[in-house]
Amino acid sequence: MTPILGASTLLDRQSEKRSDREYIEALRKAKDTLYLVLAGGKPVVDASEDRTEAKIRWFDRAKADELKLPVADSIFLGVERLEEGGVGPARFALPISEHFARAVPGGREQLSPFVDLRSLASQGAMSAEELSLIGQAAALANWHHNTRCCGRCGGSMSSKEGGWKRECWACKHHEFPRMDPVVIMALTDGERLVLAHEERFPAKMYSALGGFVEPGDDFIHAVRREAKEEVGLDVQSVKFVGAQQWPYEHSLLLGCVGQVESGELKINTTELADARWFSRDDIKLMMEGKHPDALWVPGRHSMAYKLIQDFVDGND
Ligand SMILES: [Zn+2]
């Protein structure tokens, strides 16, 4: 199975119970509750020696207390859905700093290795289910880290509802975890596909075009607008392929195929370093790492890869 970051179905998130403080506190103390530790946003994992297989290293409450982990700051992810029906133990995300993981007694042995989610996903060393769970945890932990102050009055904010809400102590303004919708699009004339290189990409990597869905857009309009703005193409029809959470930038990627008339690309150089039409044969070489100019495409865990693979397979 190709690991792709999706929505985890392992847990029942119990959104209706998050506001019950006593319930969440009881789960935090339960013996069978498990904690996923994120050190500087990176999950602590158990990895095989050759690093080809990795699993989340779960910590129970006794172990978390022994390591003096800040359990009060943990974020409720949900309770396990049991195969026979009903629900099982709770799972929480527990964010700490990398410094804490190294400095706390026992940390160097028990809180390492912690591995960047992007590497885990691109190496294909972890199951899609576990990657999705880490994606959920990392997105929430990142949001807490970046939402310390109230956007309305500048006061300090604190975590509420098991970590699914933050509240300003001064004006009581609330903020909720957010996902920013982004369209990512395969623009094709049927025979060729437009792929682009941005300055921020690794050298020689080409990917599908993308852009934020702006206020006043719907996603179809966003595809048409971005295609025109970035490469000067008019999109005739738009097909929605699927969505993927992208926790690195708290984005929700909306994968689309845009049918276009073939034509000269007018590249917007403020957004793109380069953009080109690629044939199926060219793209196959890029996917296999055999392109004569060493051009390549994003890894298997990404929505861009799925769009590109669909094009090569003729599924557009
Ligand atoms: Zn405020």
Side-chain angles (χ1 to χ4, degrees), residues 52-111:
T52 54
E53 279 183 60
K55 282 184 171 224
I56 296 170
R57 184 184 303 161
W58 293 99
F59 293 79
D60 64 15
R61 176 66 191 250
K63 182 60 82 179
D65 285 345
E66 184 192 315
L67 288 164
K68 301 197 167 31
L69 300 179
V71 174
D73 297 338
S74 62
I75 303 164
F76 179 56
L77 297 177
V79 291
E80 277 177 43
R81 290 180 201 276
L82 300 178
E83 268 177 41
E84 59 270 29
V87 294
R91 310 283 186 116
F92 284 79
L94 182 38
I96 56 174
S97 67
E98 288 190 29
H99 173 75
F100 184 99
R102 293 198 178 97
V104 71
R108 278 183 188 273
E109 300 80 46
Q110 299 186 58
L111 296 171

Side-chain angles (χ1 to χ4, degrees), residues 26 30 51 90 102 138 170 183 291 314:
R51 298 275 178 129
R102 293 198 178 97
V183 285
H291 192 274

Side-chain angles (χ1 to χ4, degrees), residues 14-27:
Q14 293 196 311
S15 55
E16 72 287 359
K17 293 191 175 175
R18 287 175 197 152
S19 56
D20 184 342
R21 255 182 86 175
E22 285 176 15
Y23 177 72
I24 297 291
E25 276 314 308
L27 289 182

Side-chain angles (χ1 to χ4, degrees), residues 132-133 209:
S132 301
L133 213 55
L209 293 172

